[in-house]
Amino acid sequence: MRALVTGGCGFIGSHMVRALVRDGWEVVNLDRMTYAANPANVAAVADHPNYRFVQGDICDGGLVRELLEGADAVLNFAAETHVDRSLLEPGAFVRADVEGVVSLLEALRERPGTVFVHMSTDEVFGSVPAPLEMREDAPFAPSSPYAASKAAAELMIRAYAETYGLGATVVRSCNVYGPNQHMEKFIPLFTLRALAGEPMPLYGDGLQEREWLYVEDLVEALRLVLRGASAEPGVRAVHVGSGERLRNREVAELICELLERPRELIRPVADRPGHDRRYALDSSRLRAMGWAPRRRFAEGLALTVAWYRDHGEAWARTANGDFSAYFARQYGERLGTREG
Ligand code: TYD
């Protein structure tokens, strides 16, 4: 069996590439190698005979069509994913997350038997007031340009299913964390800042709630979904959530505890504009299929923090792109410094 995986040098994509190669799939990894890609994420399979890397853009229709030849499945992880960056540069999100998906859909139209699994997010629903949990058929109400671009991609997938009889599985996950996640994201950023003894910039009152899932549990969910996925016309959505919801401040405090750093490092700073208060998924459909997360948050966080402590610095050095320029732009004023 052969899979085309897009964005396979990013966080979730690389965990999935490694799992698929382990499972015996032939994997073609198409990655544009943006700032979010890190070749070290796929070093473990780089020389494997069943693995092939192609540097390129999912918006390149000719290339996608060529790589789809002989593929049984396409798994799309290629995306711009960071909300804060989407506030600075919405156009990049429309291009990668919407136009990129349309490019994949155009190529898939010519290959009706191919399974298509698309990675989406709980953010398409916008902020979810407690105690609600969103089911797969809940209406979209995205807040950020990132969330809107992921919702738009899903709408294009639906349109292709309706008009051209395309089949797709859309996986909406809650916040994912674990080794190899880019340091711009909350848990890696706070961990690396705490390790360095630097202030950890907590947006607003820090009482926003997120549902946290360990990356290997998401991989297990994706493997299960892929086993049952079909190319039958229509869109099938499935939610992957741990049910473990924590406030950002609590997560920051746990990171301080694990690293034996003072809580005073947690620095309240100007909030993110349009910051969603809470995300919550109802994942009963997937649980009925036999999936359950294996790692509790306390355990997954300890593993993650230990990974960044032991490997973070060396790994960050192999990352694509200049994080310090972004850090200065995003946090310089908030922290009252020009550091980074
Ligand atoms: P993030 O990892 O950006 O994921 P998302 O916004 O997609 O949920 O952020 C997780 C939460 O942490 C979110 O509520 C914003 C908050 N946050 C901070 O308080 N400070 C930060 O520097 C970052 C990056 C995030």
Side-chain angles (χ1 to χ4, degrees):
M1 297 286 275
R2 183 186 297 177
L4 172 61
V5 178
T6 69
C9 294
F11 170 47
I12 295 171
S14 64
H15 279 268
M16 199 55 196
V17 161
R18 286 185 264 130
L20 288 173
V21 171
R22 241 184 356 252
D23 286 348
W25 284 76
E26 269 178 58
V27 174
V28 177
N29 172 9
L30 172 62
D31 198 300
R32 186 155 62 100
M33 300 308 283
T34 67
Y35 80 90
N38 189 332
N41 293 348
V42 286
V45 294
D47 297 324
H48 197 286
N50 285 351
Y51 173 78
R52 184 179 150 214
F53 170 69
V54 177
Q55 179 163 4
D57 191 340
I58 55 170
C59 290
D60 180 345
L63 177 62
V64 170
R65 266 197 298 279
E66 184 189 316
L67 297 178
L68 258 183
E69 237 164 90
D72 301 287
V74 180
L75 290 88
N76 182 37
F77 300 103
E80 292 289 341
T81 65
H82 193 41
V83 172
D84 291 324
R85 290 197 194 244
S86 83
L87 306 178
L88 300 171
E89 258 184 280
F93 285 68
V94 174
R95 183 165 189 280
D97 300 5
V98 188
E99 290 174 30
V101 166
V102 172
S103 163
L104 293 177
L105 292 169
E106 276 299 306
L108 281 160
R109 268 175 77 186
E110 294 167 18
R111 307 214 154 253
T114 316
V115 162
F116 180 41
V117 177
H118 171 73
M119 193 70 213
S120 192
T121 168
D122 57 3
E123 300 195 26
V124 295
F125 302 120
S127 202
V128 178
L132 285 186
E133 296 182 336
M134 296 320 236
R135 288 195 346 196
E136 281 81 355
D137 56 359
F140 293 169
S143 309
S144 69
Y146 162 65
S149 74
K150 294 302 282 188
E154 285 206 41
L155 293 177
M156 289 307 292
I157 295 171
R158 283 193 205 175
Y160 272 69
E162 286 296 324
T163 40
Y164 307 119
L166 204 112
T169 304
V170 169
V171 177
R172 297 194 198 107
S173 167
C174 64
N175 280 66
V176 184
Y177 70 99
N180 306 92
Q181 185 171 34
H182 194 276
M183 65 200 113
E184 68 192 356
K185 296 281 166 52
F186 179 55
I187 287 178
L189 180 73
F190 273 43
T191 301
L192 292 169
R193 299 287 293 173
L195 279 165
E198 304 276 10
M200 303 149 83
L202 188 69
Y203 293 155
D205 60 11
L207 301 181
Q208 305 82 3
E209 231 176 284
R210 293 290 183 270
E211 183 170 337
W212 290 102
L213 181 68
Y214 191 63
V215 63
E216 288 304 330
D217 282 321
L218 174 62
V219 166
E220 287 313 304
L222 285 163
R223 289 175 71 231
L224 178 67
V225 165
L226 183 60
R227 279 200 294 276
S230 88
E232 291 292 302
V235 182
R236 293 154 291 273
V238 62
H239 286 177
V240 193
S242 63
E244 277 196 277
R245 302 183 190 116
L246 289 94
R247 292 179 161 162
N248 291 340
R249 173 166 279 283
E250 291 175 75
V251 176
E253 287 172 358
L254 284 171
I255 292 171
C256 290
E257 235 169 76
L258 284 165
L259 291 171
E260 298 178 343
R261 294 290 193 274
R263 285 179 178 188
E264 287 66 41
L265 284 179
I266 301 170
R267 176 84 53 86
V269 297
D271 206 351
R272 168 190 283 175
H275 197 170
D276 286 333
R277 290 302 277 181
R278 178 176 178 270
Y279 298 135
L281 290 176
D282 175 333
S283 307
S284 40
R285 182 177 287 177
L286 188 66
R287 283 177 181 261
M289 289 164 65
W291 175 87
R294 293 206 189 129
R295 302 257 186 228
R296 299 285 303 172
F297 183 70
E299 190 191 350
L301 185 68
L303 287 172
T304 304
V305 164
W307 188 86
Y308 282 95
R309 186 195 59 216
D310 298 341
H311 306 286
E313 215 178 295
W315 172 79
R317 270 200 298 276
T318 60
N320 256 358
D322 177 11
F323 184 62
S324 59
Y326 168 76
F327 188 88
R329 189 169 175 201
Q330 180 65 20
Y331 298 102
E333 208 170 301
R334 282 188 163 89
L335 290 168
T337 60
R338 287 280 133 209
E339 67 183 297

